[in-house]
Amino acid sequence: MATLSVCQPQLGGFSFENCKRNAVLEAEVTKLGCNIPSARKTGTTICGVVFKDGIVLGADTRATEGMIVADKNCSKIHYISPNIYCCGAGTAADTEMTTQIISSNLELHSLSTSRLPRVATANRMLKQMLFRYQGHIGAALVLGGVDCNGPHLYSIYPHGSTDKLPYVTMGSGSLAAMAVFEDRYKQDMEEEDAKRLVRDAIAAGIFNDLGSGSNIDLCVITKGRVDYLRPHDMANKKGVRLIRPVYAYKQGTTGVLTKSVIKLDLEVVEETVQTMDTS
Amino acid sequence: MKICLKIVSGHFYGDNGKMKEYHYTGPVEHRFSPYSFNGGTVLAVAGEDFAIVASDTRLSEGYSIHSRDSPKCYKLTNTTVIGCSGFHGDCLTLTKIIDARLKMYKHSNNKSMTSGAIAAMLSTILYGRRFFPYYVYNIIGGLDEEGKGAVYSFDPVGSYQRDTYKAGGSASAMLQPLLDNQIGFKNMEGVQHLPLNQEKAVQLVKDVFISAAERDVYTGDALRICIVTKEGIKEETVPLRKD
C-alpha cells in the first residue's frame, strides 16, 4: 500500500543527513568572519482548557530573538484540520513547519478514510515525528480539537512525550498561566467562563514573563464551529509618541551624491498597494 | 573543587567541516557567578542650562520581574544625578560609597562636590576594582560650575568622558542612534541646528523610551525623569508598557 505521508520516508533509524552539510556550511561562514543566524525562539505563553462543549486554546503574540522583540504580533495558534488547532512554543520555524507537515499528512489521511480526523491521530503523528528527531526539533505544542469522541486536549514536548489533560500550559510563561488555571479551573465550565479563564491565564504570562507580550489570541473549538479570535484582547497598545509629525524627514535630508534617470518602456498590468506600519 | 571531565562519545569525522559533538555525557563543572544582570536602561541629556537623567523602573532577572518600581536614578547633590544600570547589588553598593565620599569631601573642604569632581572621583573608585569590577553602567547628569548642563558617561572599569547625550543599559544600542540623529543632527543634511530647549528634550526622552519599551524586553513599566536646573531637581514619572 502506498505511503500516505508525502514528506517523511518511513525508513528505520535516524536521518541526520543534513548534519554534515550544516557543519561544512558553518565552517565556510566562520572563515568569512560571519556567524550563522541563530534560531528564533518564541519565548511564549500558550495554554488550553477543556470546557463543557469543547476546547479553548490561547496564546500571546510576541516572538523574541535573544531579548529583543522580533515580532510584536505573530500568530501562534496553527491550523491542523477544520476541527483541530495547535498552539506552538519554542523555536518559531520548528513549530510552524511541524504543524504544517502534520496538517498536510492529516488531510491526506482524512481523505483516505473519508472521516473527520481525530485529535488522537494528530497527537500520534506529532509525537512520532518529534521522537524521531530526538528533541532537536524544538517544538512544544498544545494540541486541541473536537472529534467524534468529544473534546480532547494534549500537550506535546520536544522530545516526543505527550500528556492528555483537561488543562495545559507551555512556554516560558507556562508557570504564570498554570498558577491561574490551578486557582480557577472547574470541570464543565460554560464557554464564556472558559474564555475568560484562558484570557486571564495568558494575561498572567504576558505581564509577568519577559518572553511573552503584546496581545491575546483565542481559538474556541466546539462541535461544528471554530471561533478563531485574533486578537481577542489587545492587552498592550503601542505607546503614543508625543512629537509625532516632527520625526518625519523633509526631502533632501539624505544627501544625494549622483542621480541618473533611465526611462524603461513598460505598461502597467496590475497595481496593488501594501501599507507599512509607519505609526 | 575540581571535577574530572570525561568525554564519552567521539568526534564525528569531517573532511572539510569539523562536526560539533552532539552527545556530551559526563559530569560538568558549574561555577558560581558573582554577577547577575538585572536589566534597565538609563539616559542623560545636557542642555544649555539644564540636564535630564531618565531611567526605566523595571528590575528583572532572567525571564522574571523583581519589581516594577525600582528607578535607577539616584540624587547625589542639588546639581547632580547619577543613573546606574546593570547588576543591582553593585548599583546599590556603589551609590552608598559615592554618598559616603561626598559627605567626607563636604566635611573636609566645606563645600559640595561639583559634577566634574564627582565624575573624576567615580572613575578612580571604579578603577580601584579593576580586577573584580562593579558590574554597573553609570551616567552622571548635572550642572557644571558655569551652570551649563553636563553629562559624563562611564564604562564598568572607570573610563569616562564628557558628552552632550548618552544612553546606557540594556536598550542603549536602540536609543543611542536615535539621539545621535535628533540631538546631534548626525546623518542629516540641510537641517537647522536648533539648540535643544527643555520641553523638547523631555518630550524626546519620553518618546525614545516608549520606542525602547516596544522592542526591548528588559525596558518597561514606568519611566522616571529627573530634570536638573539651577532651581533644583524636579522628578516626573510616565507609565510605559507593562508586558
Side-chain angles (χ1 to χ4, degrees):
Chain A
M1 181 170 136
T3 174
L4 294 170
S5 306
V6 288
C7 296
Q8 263 79 59
Q10 301 284 10
L11 302 165
F14 307 136
S15 166
F16 284 108
E17 56 197 40
N18 278 336
C19 292
K20 191 152 180 279
R21 176 206 73 171
N22 290 346
V24 170
L25 281 175
E26 195 177 344
E28 297 283 307
V29 166
T30 323
K31 248 186 283 189
L32 296 168
C34 329
N35 334 48
I36 45 167
S38 61
R40 182 195 296 178
K41 305 188 95 226
T42 48
T44 306
T45 309
I46 51 173
C47 67
V49 92
V50 177
F51 70 99
K52 196 167 78 176
D53 308 316
I55 302 275
V56 180
L57 298 173
D60 75 306
T61 61
R62 171 184 284 184
T64 51
E65 206 159 332
M67 290 317 255
I68 298 177
V69 177
D71 190 346
K72 289 187 275 189
N73 197 199
C74 72
S75 167
K76 299 186 191 177
I77 307 185
H78 309 283
Y79 167 88
I80 302 277
S81 77
N83 59 325
I84 304 174
Y85 278 74
C86 184
C87 311
T91 309
D94 287 342
T95 57
E96 191 69 44
M97 304 272 41
T98 304
T99 47
Q100 281 177 358
I101 289 171
I102 265 66
S103 167
S104 164
N105 288 344
L106 203 59
E107 185 171 346
L108 289 170
H109 184 265
S110 157
L111 287 165
S112 165
T113 57
S114 314
R115 288 175 172 78
L116 199 62
R118 301 191 190 187
V119 189
T121 317
N123 177 54
R124 191 57 79 96
M125 289 173 150
L126 284 163
K127 72 165 13 174
Q128 284 179 346
M129 178 181 168
L130 291 174
F131 182 73
R132 187 152 29 96
Y133 284 90
Q134 286 293 291
H136 289 289
I137 292 188
L141 310 166
V142 167
L143 175 75
V146 179
D147 58 23
C148 56
N149 291 342
H152 302 279
L153 183 68
Y154 293 87
S155 66
I156 306 169
Y157 291 82
H159 283 265
S161 63
T162 62
D163 291 309
K164 185 175 194 307
L165 293 165
Y167 56 96
V168 291
T169 64
M170 296 289 255
S172 60
S174 60
L175 266 61
M178 187 52 93
V180 176
F181 276 169
E182 289 288 9
D183 185 29
R184 287 161 40 189
Y185 172 80
K186 287 188 291 294
Q187 264 199 329
D188 295 325
M189 285 184 288
E190 294 298 328
E191 182 173 326
E192 282 312 309
D193 290 331
K195 279 162 74 173
R196 203 173 313 125
L197 179 63
V198 169
R199 185 248 158 236
D200 288 343
I202 300 292
I206 283 175
F207 290 111
N208 299 105
D209 173 45
L210 296 178
S212 316
S214 295
N215 314 321
I216 300 167
D217 289 349
L218 281 193
C219 184
V220 184
I221 310 174
T222 50
K223 195 171 172 63
R225 176 177 67 94
V226 169
D227 280 331
Y228 191 83
L229 306 161
R230 175 177 156 80
H232 169 67
D233 191 341
M234 298 202 72
N236 289 287
K237 292 222 171 46
K238 178 168 178 160
V240 183
R241 289 197 289 266
L242 303 160
I243 321 185
R244 290 198 70 180
V246 179
Y247 289 124
Y249 296 121
K250 284 199 286 290
Q251 261 217 344
T253 305
T254 303
V256 177
L257 293 176
T258 53
K259 184 169 151 179
S260 74
V261 181
I262 304 165
K263 269 194 93 65
L264 296 170
D265 243 338
L266 299 169
E267 66 172 83
V268 179
V269 177
E270 191 193 333
E271 195 175 298
T272 50
V273 176
Q274 181 153 44
T275 47
M276 272 171 65
D277 174 22
T278 51
S279 58
Chain B
M1 189 168 87
K2 293 212 82 166
I3 301 168
C4 187
L5 306 172
K6 264 184 80 173
I7 300 168
V8 175
S9 75
H11 265 278
F12 293 104
Y13 65 94
D15 359 325
N16 19 15
K18 198 161 84 79
M19 291 271 272
K20 284 205 292 262
E21 293 160 50
Y22 287 110
H23 307 287
Y24 176 78
T25 47
V28 183
E29 186 172 340
H30 294 284
R31 292 217 55 209
F32 166 71
S33 168
Y35 298 117
S36 107
F37 182 63
N38 295 118
T41 309
V42 247
L43 162 52
V45 176
E48 188 57 41
D49 57 351
F50 67 92
I52 297 175
V53 180
S55 77
D56 73 323
T57 61
R58 173 178 284 174
L59 195 71
S60 44
E61 187 166 350
Y63 276 106
S64 314
I65 298 178
H66 281 314
S67 165
R68 294 192 197 272
D69 188 19
S70 168
K72 291 155 193 72
C73 327
Y74 302 92
K75 175 171 167 274
L76 298 179
T77 65
N78 277 338
T79 53
T80 320
V81 175
I82 188 171
C84 312
S85 70
F87 171 43
H88 193 60
D90 277 348
C91 295
L92 295 174
T93 305
L94 189 61
T95 46
K96 284 204 182 101
I97 289 176
I98 297 174
D99 280 333
R101 292 287 297 266
L102 285 174
K103 279 205 188 98
M104 283 156 59
Y105 183 96
K106 186 119 196 256
H107 289 143
S108 21
N109 300 85
N110 201 23
K111 67 182 181 103
S112 304
M113 278 185 96
T114 57
S115 295
I118 297 177
M121 177 186 76
L122 180 55
S123 172
T124 56
I125 294 174
L126 292 171
Y127 198 80
R129 288 272 297 254
R130 170 68 179 80
F131 299 110
F132 183 12
Y134 289 109
Y135 182 0
V136 191
Y137 293 91
N138 295 291
I139 307 183
I140 290 180
L143 302 173
D144 64 9
E145 284 111 328
E146 296 160 23
K148 292 203 176 72
V151 164
Y152 297 92
S153 60
F154 293 77
D155 79 345
V157 281
S159 157
Y160 79 108
Q161 66 179 35
R162 184 168 172 176
D163 283 312
T164 321
Y165 54 86
K166 190 79 164 113
S170 62
S172 59
M174 293 185 207
L175 303 184
Q176 190 67 32
L178 186 51
L179 299 175
D180 283 338
N181 179 260
Q182 294 291 316
I183 305 180
F185 302 106
K186 301 266 170 66
N187 302 108
M188 293 207 290
E189 277 183 38
V191 187
Q192 261 189 315
H193 284 16
L194 299 158
L196 197 64
N197 71 343
Q198 194 178 312
E199 292 89 66
K200 179 132 188 292
V202 171
Q203 278 189 324
L204 183 65
V205 164
K206 288 180 186 167
D207 283 354
V208 134
F209 266 92
I210 286 173
S211 301
E214 291 284 315
R215 291 289 177 175
D216 181 34
V217 303
Y218 290 122
T219 305
D221 290 328
L223 166 65
R224 174 71 67 88
I225 308 179
C226 301
I227 307 165
V228 186
T229 50
K230 65 179 195 300
E231 276 92 44
I233 300 178
K234 203 160 51 106
E235 281 184 10
E236 210 181 312
T237 309
V238 171
L240 292 174
R241 274 178 84 123
K242 293 182 171 35
D243 63 353

